[in-house]
Amino acid sequence: MPAGFTRRTLLGAATALAATSLLPRRAAAQGQPWPQAQPIRMVVPFGAGGATDIAARVIAQEMQATLGQTIVMENRAGAGSTLGTGYVARMPADGYTLLITTISGLAIGQTLYRDRIQYDADKSFEHIAIMMGTPYLLCVAPNQPIRDVAGYVAAAKARPMYYGTSGAGGVAHLLGMRLAAATGAPLEHVPYRGSTQAITDLMAGVVPSVLDSLTATSAHIKSGALRPLATTAPERSPDFPDVPTFRELGYPQVVADGWAGLAAPAGTPRPILEKLAEAVRGAQASANVQRRFAETSTSPGRYYLEDAQDFVRREVAAWAPVIRASGITPD
């Protein structure tokens, strides 16, 4: 479970925003302006309980008050988050089905799954906001003798090192491949279906290391359950000033920030998009979201509407050559 989000938090969010994959699709009643006609579905393209899922629920709970309508969370995981992403792309552009966008489903999935998806990260969606961001960290268990990246690389060269991530084809997977290429160390990827199980297995000694988001690992680092070796952020985190960046250690190839946002199917009316963007801004400014983000060292996003659309275009363009050069495939 991600840092700062307790089981009580998850249960409370689940009660307020009951997850369902079978929500009936009712036609909007004649004459009822959006969003009064029916609840809004917010599709998370990951399983329940991960960093993106829980943070999205906290934001959605705050958005409900602004919009005056219930938001129902729906988890549709699979294929590097492209299944849920593609599902929303096919929905009516009426403002009642929204997507939690991710770097995996859009910036990476656009190229990695190009022969298997029928959506376009830019043309298939109206991007409402980039809601949050977080770098990734390479972590080991504190009972291991490895204390820095140099020690990690040396251990890997002596015996192949396994690293867990939240799934194949995600940012962490690619970063692990880039670290292996930069160091010549044999790093073996172990994909999980989410951050929670990967981190649990690291603490249980099932895998020796993980590459995961700061949002997911920060509480475990603070408690001493994980030992961070380096961060993929461009600069050191003010919350963890003793954790070096890969860049300063001589690995500029291993630099990336993860992000998650909110989008609607292409063609959604502009007034609806503007109301949703306003609701996201209000949620980000709320004391509850700011506290939760601070607890997990998560950065609030700063792009909305056209700026969010431009951001996604830039991310797709930036990651495409990285993915092609890596040789990684969906299989």
Side-chain angles (χ1 to χ4, degrees), residues 186-259:
L187 304 181
E188 300 291 339
H189 181 230
V190 182
Y192 287 85
R193 290 186 63 84
S195 297
T196 303
Q197 190 58 52
I199 294 171
T200 299
D201 275 7
L202 172 61
M203 293 189 292
V206 177
V207 290
S209 64
V210 296
L211 259 169
D212 213 322
S213 71
L214 181 57
T215 298
T217 58
S218 58
H220 302 296
I221 294 171
K222 291 174 182 176
S223 72
L226 295 182
R227 175 183 293 152
L229 303 182
T231 173
T232 68
E235 306 292 339
R236 293 194 184 202
S237 167
D239 294 324
F240 300 96
D242 294 333
V243 180
T245 68
F246 280 105
R247 174 177 286 170
E248 70 184 80
L249 295 176
Y251 304 114
Q253 313 93 322
V254 191
V255 176
D257 272 330
W259 52 263

